[in-house]
């Protein structure tokens, strides 16, 4: 796909999104901030936690998590966080499968994912047996089918892309067997987490997908898949996802979109990242690894001085700045806790690709790039150097 076609695809998505944004949708039950703060998922305890939850709440959840994961592994804690990045999630897919081929990929105590990383995370969580599914999505290109523009006559839509292909992909990947296995691993002490953004509250939400899968609630499979779709719901491209909650005897719906809006990478809640808590919590040796599905450092590009290029470039810049900040905070957190910290990100030698296009050839290239580096043992470094490098877009 030529650069012109890539840009045309992006522009068409944004134009349709802008047109759709002025249209009405089905009204929701109104609620206030107090109800939002108290809202829970009916029948599923500990299904989620706000990213910026109060220190006391985070402390209690982390203590419970420490007890569970210590019982599972006993040795070094292994944590893997997978970022957002659209089609460039193929890079992360290549890294984890190349890591398997190298023969030293660990069993992770905690796996987290945001946006496209949320779609990969359940398969990585379940181990190397699911590498063929990951390869089919990215190296073979089945994920390319998720980008399909809506019928222009769908004037009530709040997203430019048809969500049904993405819903089908999630349903195919996260079937009953996968859910049962995730539930079993959760009970054994491992944790699978993803992030969405609650648009009503303007807050990031950490979802414990293992707790949802293990709850036994009849609506758990549907909620599990809806959370995955919400985490990948890029605003304007995909319509937000409504999630049913309850508080004070009232039922209402929250509106959730892409987790990358609030946190493009998740390792721990903000109260741990900023040091408000931590010294009094259980300590365990471990390794924290982050896969960034993109370049960490700036990309130089002369931007056209018109509305759409400026909007797109500004959004890209905001996400990149958010990612860099979280990486620096996570590095400091790991240092305080005595954990090793490393980052895998796309190198300057991989040509740029439009993350919204989901072009098969681009995804194969990104997958091969990640696979080769993981196989050679060069995928991860301390993450400091790329953040200072400036690459030029081709």
């Amino acid at each position: 796909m030529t650069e012109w076609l890539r840009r045309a695809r992006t522009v068409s998505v944004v134009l349709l999104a802008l047109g759709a944004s002025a249209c009405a949708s089905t009204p929701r039950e109104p609620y206030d901030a107090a109800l939002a703060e108290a809202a829970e998922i009916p029948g599923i305890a500990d299904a989620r936690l706000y990213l910026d939850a109060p220190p006391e709440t985070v402390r209690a959840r982390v203590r419970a998590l420490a007890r569970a994961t210590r019982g599972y592994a006993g040795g070094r804690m292994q944590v893997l966080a997978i970022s957002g990045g659209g089609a460039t999630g193929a890079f992360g897919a290549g890294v984890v499968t190349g890591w398997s081929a190298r023969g030293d990929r660990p069993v992770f105590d905690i796996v987290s994912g945001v946006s496209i990383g949320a779609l990969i995370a359940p398969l990585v969580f379940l181990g190397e047996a699911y590498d063929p599914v990951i390869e089919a999505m990215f190296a073979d290109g089945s994920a390319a089918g998720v980008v399909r523009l809506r019928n222009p006559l769908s004037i009530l839509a709040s997203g430019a892309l048809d969500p049904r292909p993405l819903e089908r992909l999630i349903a195919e990947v996260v079937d009953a067997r996968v859910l049962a296995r995730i539930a079993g691993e959760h009970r054994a002490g491992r944790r699978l987490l993803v992030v969405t953004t609650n648009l009503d509250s303007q807050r990031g939400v950490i979802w414990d997908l293992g707790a949802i899968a293990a709850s036994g609630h009849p609506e758990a499979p549907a909620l599990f898949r809806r959370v995955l779709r919400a985490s990948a719901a890029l605003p304007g491209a995909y319509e937000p996802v409504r999630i049913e909650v309850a508080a004070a005897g009232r039922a209402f719906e929250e509106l959730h979109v892409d987790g990358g809006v609030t946190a493009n990478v998740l390792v721990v809640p903000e109260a741990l990242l900023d040091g408000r808590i931590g010294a009094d919590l259980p300590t365990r040796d471990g390794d924290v690894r982050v896969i960034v599905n993109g370049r960490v450092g700036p990309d130089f590009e002369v931007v056209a001085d018109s509305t759409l290029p400026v909007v797109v470039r500004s959004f890209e810049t905001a996400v990149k700045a958010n990612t860099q900040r979280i990486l620096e905070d996570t590095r400091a957190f790991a240092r305080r806790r005595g954990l090793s910290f490393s980052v895998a990100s796309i190198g300057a030698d991989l040509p740029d690709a439009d993350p919204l296009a989901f072009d098969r050839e681009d995804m194969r290239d990104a997958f091969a790039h990640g696979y080769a580096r993981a196989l050679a043992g060069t995928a991860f470094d301390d993450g400091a150097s790329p953040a200072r490098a400036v690459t030029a877009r081709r």
Side-chain angles (χ1 to χ4, degrees), residues 7-201:
R7 293 293 182 184
R9 178 74 66 87
T10 300
V11 168
S12 66
V13 167
V14 175
L15 279 173
L16 279 176
L18 291 175
S21 66
C23 302
S25 185
T26 307
R28 291 185 295 145
E29 181 74 18
Y31 68 104
D32 58 24
L35 285 173
E37 185 67 34
E40 296 180 346
I41 303 299
I44 305 180
D46 296 331
R48 63 186 195 167
L49 178 74
Y50 273 119
L51 186 64
D52 62 351
E56 298 76 15
T57 302
V58 175
R59 182 181 285 107
R61 294 291 286 269
V62 171
R63 285 187 181 280
L65 175 63
R67 288 193 297 271
T69 54
R70 191 164 51 242
Y72 170 78
R76 290 182 66 84
M77 172 83 75
Q78 299 294 329
V79 180
L80 178 67
I82 309 172
S83 84
T88 52
F91 167 74
V95 168
V96 294
T97 53
W99 200 350
S100 299
R102 180 180 168 84
D104 56 355
R105 174 177 151 188
V107 175
F108 298 104
D109 298 274
I110 301 172
V111 177
S112 72
V114 180
S115 195
I116 192 68
L119 303 185
I120 302 170
L123 301 173
V124 175
F125 180 76
L126 291 180
E128 299 176 11
Y130 284 82
D131 283 0
V133 182
I134 296 175
E135 290 188 38
M137 289 174 64
F138 294 99
D140 298 340
S142 66
V146 302
V147 176
R148 187 173 72 192
L149 292 175
R150 283 184 183 273
N151 185 326
L153 298 179
S154 300
I155 61 172
L156 296 182
S158 54
L161 299 181
D162 186 343
R164 290 174 296 182
L166 178 58
E167 291 169 354
R168 282 195 293 269
L169 177 65
I170 291 172
E172 290 170 2
V173 171
V174 186
D175 58 17
R177 183 178 179 184
V178 164
L179 286 169
R181 288 207 57 197
I182 289 172
E185 295 300 322
H186 176 84
R187 295 187 188 101
R190 299 176 64 211
R191 293 296 180 264
L192 172 62
L193 311 172
V194 304
V195 179
T196 67
T197 298
N198 181 333
L199 279 184
D200 299 327
S201 299

Side-chain angles (χ1 to χ4, degrees), residues 73 96 123 145 155-156 187 220 242 257 269 291 295 353 356 365 368:
V96 294
L123 301 173
I155 61 172
L156 296 182
R187 295 187 188 101
R242 298 185 180 198
V257 297
I291 297 176
R295 293 191 179 93
L356 287 181
D365 289 345

